[in-house]
Amino acid sequence: MNKGINVINELLVDLFNDILVIEQKSLQYATFKDLSVTEVHTIEAIGMYKPNRMKDVACQLDITLGTLTTAINRLEKNNMLHE
């Protein structure tokens, strides 16, 4: 049973790493080339059409409120977010 779990774990780790590479490569050809994968995920979590509380966005991203505040400040400084 442990061997099966190890195989599944390795496959999932490989899949996750492949997804990260695909995301990074796709950003190279996107309109917003200056954004990192993390910044894209942050913008997606914030949303566009309904207000989201910082606490909810941080929870969705599995980060602290301080980390989210830093990310939002950086996005606002680069004119990627507007109030």
Side-chain angles (χ1 to χ4, degrees):
M1 184 84 166
N2 271 344
K3 184 176 181 179
I5 291 173
N6 288 338
V7 169
I8 291 172
N9 183 57
E10 285 181 34
L11 289 171
L12 289 173
V13 168
D14 289 344
L15 177 63
F16 179 78
N17 288 332
D18 289 345
I19 289 170
L20 290 177
V21 169
I22 291 168
E23 279 185 318
Q24 192 63 47
K25 285 183 179 180
S26 68
L27 282 178
Q28 293 173 355
Y29 303 104
T31 304
F32 299 105
K33 296 176 187 173
D34 298 341
L35 291 174
S36 69
V37 171
T38 302
E39 291 169 330
V40 170
H41 286 281
T42 302
I43 291 169
E44 179 184 26
I46 292 168
M48 291 178 53
Y49 303 109
K50 65 177 186 155
N52 285 313
R53 296 181 312 164
M54 291 279 287
K55 178 181 174 181
D56 296 331
V57 173
C59 184
Q60 182 179 346
L61 293 170
D62 197 25
I63 60 176
T64 66
L65 283 171
T67 300
L68 179 59
T69 299
T70 300
I72 288 175
N73 288 341
R74 186 172 42 249
L75 287 168
E76 285 179 333
K77 181 180 178 184
N78 292 325
N79 294 318
M80 296 295 172
L81 292 180
H82 303 283
E83 289 185 39

